[in-house]
Amino acid sequence: MDLSSVGAVLLDMDGTLVDSDAAVERAWRVWAAEYGVDPEAVLAIAHGSPADRTVRRLLPGLDDAAVAAAADWQLALQYDDLSDVTATRGAPALLATLARLGLPWAVVTSADSRLAKARLGAAGIDALVLVTVEDVTVGKPDPQGYLRAAELLDVPPARCLVVEDAEVGLRAGRAAGAMTAALKGLDGDLRLDDLGQLAELLAGAGPRP
């Protein structure tokens, strides 16, 4: 994969840029207990997806109002649970490298704005361009969020590198027509151990057109 063609980097938040896996899991386990759903079934599909999409898959009998209420409650469980939220391994190095190379970047997350800003703040990350679930009409795996980020950065999607740790997000990146980099053993155009590896690869990729 030729990283010299990358014109922007579009990063998922939870599990990619911010290590919030424990907080996410705690919230979904509490939610599952309250709604009488198997927590393991919840965790198998919840990561990387908007809360309302996960609720609909788990509780297909709920009407729209009930789905919205259940999703809102799930997010509410996460707002103040920031005690162990940190930047992921290699994230500071990657952001420093992007700044040095003059490469624009954005965060594209299935969280709402309040939660995204809270978690990014806890991790010490200031995202100038942030696309949340509130900025789209359809969440991942729909490409809308990544297309919106590319538009805001004024970079063609084909020159964007989407970095994800969940298959639902990688599907969104592919559907947007972007290059993909995958964490946690998933398959993308590029497979990464951590964001520090991506920093090194981008730094060594040479000049960009």
Side-chain angles (χ1 to χ4, degrees):
M1 180 179 175
D2 181 12
L3 291 177
S4 67
S5 65
V6 172
V9 177
L10 311 181
L11 296 140
D12 171 55
M13 184 179 72
D14 291 310
T16 297
L17 191 60
V18 173
D19 185 354
S20 55
D21 288 356
V24 172
E25 181 172 326
R26 285 193 297 268
W28 276 113
R29 286 189 180 279
V30 170
W31 182 92
E34 294 183 359
Y35 278 85
V37 180
D38 177 9
E40 300 309 318
V42 174
L43 295 175
I45 66 169
H47 187 61
S49 295
D52 61 347
R53 181 173 183 270
T54 300
V55 171
R56 286 187 189 280
R57 292 182 65 186
L58 293 165
L59 300 171
L62 296 184
D63 61 24
D64 289 348
V67 167
D72 286 347
W73 173 238
Q74 203 285 329
L75 288 171
L77 291 168
Q78 301 185 51
Y79 288 141
D80 298 321
D81 188 357
L82 303 171
S83 60
D84 52 2
V85 172
T86 62
T88 55
R89 186 174 64 179
L94 174 61
L95 298 183
T97 297
L98 294 178
R100 181 168 56 81
L101 296 175
L103 274 176
W105 60 278
V107 174
V108 180
T109 177
S110 295
D112 65 8
S113 179
R114 177 181 169 183
L115 182 58
K117 290 177 180 178
R119 286 199 174 139
L120 289 167
I125 295 170
D126 182 19
L128 296 180
V129 178
L130 173 63
V131 178
T132 73
V133 71
E134 295 163 322
D135 298 312
V136 298
T137 57
V138 186
K140 300 173 186 178
D142 190 275
Q144 192 177 133
Y146 282 118
L147 291 172
R148 175 61 176 156
E151 179 184 16
L152 290 170
L153 295 177
D154 195 26
V155 177
R159 293 195 61 213
C160 292
L161 177 65
V162 166
V163 187
E164 275 277 359
D165 74 315
E167 182 57 38
V168 67
L170 290 167
R171 286 168 57 195
R174 294 185 195 106
M179 297 170 276
T180 59
L183 294 157
K184 298 182 179 176
L186 297 177
D187 284 322
D189 297 314
L190 180 66
R191 296 182 70 173
L192 299 172
D193 295 325
D194 58 40
L195 296 184
Q197 182 184 9
L198 178 58
E200 293 176 359
L201 292 170
L202 287 170
R208 286 164 176 75

